[in-house]
Amino acid sequence: MATSTVFFIFFLLLLTPMAAVAAFDVPTLAFSEGFSHLFGNDNLIRSKDDRSVRLSLNRYSGSGFISSELYEHGFFSASIKLPRDYTAGVVVAFYTSNGDIFPNTHDELDLEFLGNVRGKDWRIQTNVYGNGSTARGREERYLVPFDPTEAAHRYSILWTPDYIIFYIDDVPIREVVRSDAMGGDFPSKPMSVYATIWDGSSWATSYGKIKINYKYAPYVSEFSDLVLRGCRVDPIQQVDTAERCAEAVEELMSADYALLTPMKRAAMRRFRERYMIYSFCYDHHRYGNFTFPDCDYVSPEHTRFGEWGDNRFPPKEVRRSRRRVRKPSPINVPSSE
């Protein structure tokens, strides 16, 4: 009996990569402790306890917030619940950037959620820019292996001097390791943390073929469990930043979310095998024969992607593969007589 139970649990872990890694123990912030309103006027609504915030998009404006400080590396995280129903053209983003300070040489790390038509899955896109390398976008796109509109899920970005890791529900989905060949393409300057919702009709859904429909507005996303862990820096006085942040970076790189154990690497590999639908590494139409130093062209992964960078064998839509659940029978409540 015990043997069959262990086998069943192991089987469930294989089928559910998002449950393969234990949750991180990180302190969360109230909104006012680390963030401020960026744009959108009344489209940003904070909860009474200040522990969560709702961002909405209507035909007049999107909305967003920004960290009150810049960070020289860090771990940034939020639990996010995405808008329901028809969301084609909608983009919800959780990202880091310094574009307001370095408009021509900015750095950026993106987690972007791309909406879809009713009944189709949201997509998640990750991207890495360094020193204004926008002509060499490093996009990857994935199906979401659950319905992100039913409940909030945690999404995180770890940025260290040596590597970057993107997480969904504490499962790593992408690692970018710094190398000399990357040069300035690896983000190196202090960045702020952002959360936004906006109209991305020109590109977000089916490469811009399907636009947003404001009949379904407002589109509302909710952010909670906000985490800002890293070395805060002054955007003007950045003298000896590396030396001043050495202790904070050492603490950051020793945390559990910075250590990719064999179990975490296995979970990442399973996620990428099952849910990745596009990779810049294999997009020959966009980049020709250019090779990126952070791409592993000899891995089995490359055999799944065509010349446009799209998966030759795309995974099934999560919602389409989900069985319909019968509505429960009405409950007969006995009378009080």
Side-chain angles (χ1 to χ4, degrees):
M1 182 71 177
T3 303
S4 60
T5 302
V6 171
F7 176 80
F8 179 70
I9 294 173
F10 178 73
F11 181 70
L12 284 180
L13 289 176
L14 287 178
L15 290 180
T16 315
M18 308 312 295
V21 181
F24 299 130
D25 183 17
V26 289
T28 61
L29 299 170
F31 180 84
S32 58
E33 291 178 318
F35 296 93
S36 59
H37 193 162
L38 181 61
F39 72 99
N41 297 324
D42 295 336
N43 285 3
L44 184 152
I45 300 177
R46 292 156 57 175
S47 62
K48 290 183 179 180
D49 62 2
D50 204 33
R51 307 300 297 190
S52 65
V53 59
R54 289 187 175 185
L55 298 181
S56 63
L57 165 67
N58 56 32
R59 66 177 63 253
Y60 305 106
S61 176
S63 53
F65 59 87
I66 183 175
S67 61
S68 305
E69 307 280 353
L70 280 87
Y71 290 84
E72 177 82 4
H73 306 111
F75 179 74
F76 315 113
S77 182
S79 292
I80 306 172
K81 185 178 180 182
L82 297 177
R84 287 181 174 274
D85 212 333
Y86 181 101
T87 54
V90 176
V91 178
V92 177
F94 183 68
Y95 64 104
T96 67
S97 179
N98 49 33
D100 55 339
I101 302 174
F102 306 101
N104 298 318
T105 59
H106 87 285
D107 306 301
E108 189 170 322
L109 298 172
D110 295 328
L111 270 170
E112 294 174 310
F113 308 89
L114 313 181
N116 217 326
V117 297
R118 184 188 289 112
K120 291 277 191 174
D121 290 338
W122 279 79
R123 269 68 168 154
I124 293 182
Q125 176 168 286
T126 59
N127 208 344
V128 176
Y129 295 121
N131 203 36
S133 59
T134 54
R136 297 183 298 279
R138 288 168 155 83
E139 297 99 333
E140 289 187 352
R141 284 192 289 276
Y142 328 86
L143 288 183
V144 186
F146 46 77
D147 185 346
T149 72
E150 289 184 347
H153 289 259
R154 180 185 290 277
Y155 306 90
S156 309
I157 301 171
L158 171 67
W159 171 42
T160 79
D162 299 324
Y163 51 86
I164 298 158
I165 303 175
F166 294 91
Y167 282 95
I168 299 178
D169 278 346
D170 308 321
V171 170
I173 65 169
R174 181 180 182 183
E175 179 189 27
V176 180
V177 179
R178 184 176 195 166
S179 67
D180 292 339
M182 284 188 71
D185 285 4
F186 191 93
S188 60
K189 299 184 292 294
M191 292 190 279
S192 299
V193 180
Y194 294 80
T196 57
I197 184 171
W198 47 283
D199 186 336
S201 290
S202 63
W203 66 277
T205 307
S206 298
Y207 301 97
K209 295 177 182 178
I210 306 177
K211 311 296 184 183
I212 199 168
N213 187 341
Y214 284 107
K215 179 180 77 173
Y216 300 97
Y219 299 100
V220 180
S221 57
E222 184 171 348
F223 292 75
S224 58
D225 300 324
L226 303 170
V227 175
L228 294 171
R229 302 279 289 176
C231 183
R232 293 175 291 184
V233 299
D234 189 305
I236 300 176
Q237 299 178 349
Q238 296 182 22
V239 181
D240 298 327
T241 297
E243 182 178 345
R244 189 173 63 82
C245 290
E247 184 176 345
V249 169
E250 182 179 354
E251 179 181 347
L252 182 75
M253 296 182 71
S254 63
D256 57 349
Y257 46 71
L259 305 175
L260 285 186
T261 64
M263 180 179 290
K264 290 180 184 178
R265 289 196 177 277
M268 179 167 65
R269 184 175 62 254
R270 287 195 300 271
F271 178 91
R272 295 174 67 83
E273 288 175 351
R274 296 177 183 181
Y275 303 113
M276 188 162 69
I277 56 175
Y278 170 85
S279 172
F280 72 101
C281 292
Y282 314 112
D283 193 340
H284 299 297
H285 281 265
R286 184 177 180 186
Y287 295 115
N289 293 323
F290 183 84
T291 57
F292 289 83
D294 44 319
C295 291
D296 184 2
Y297 294 99
V298 299
S299 72
E301 182 178 276
H302 83 280
T303 61
R304 303 199 312 273
F305 292 86
E307 59 184 10
W308 291 90
D310 293 310
N311 197 331
R312 299 175 191 266
F313 314 102
K316 292 181 180 180
E317 295 276 343
V318 176
R319 295 191 188 187
R320 284 193 168 190
S321 63
R322 186 182 296 122
R323 294 181 179 178
R324 291 187 178 182
V325 179
R326 294 182 179 180
K327 293 183 178 180
S329 308
I331 299 176
N332 296 320
V333 180
S335 64
S336 56
E337 297 178 357

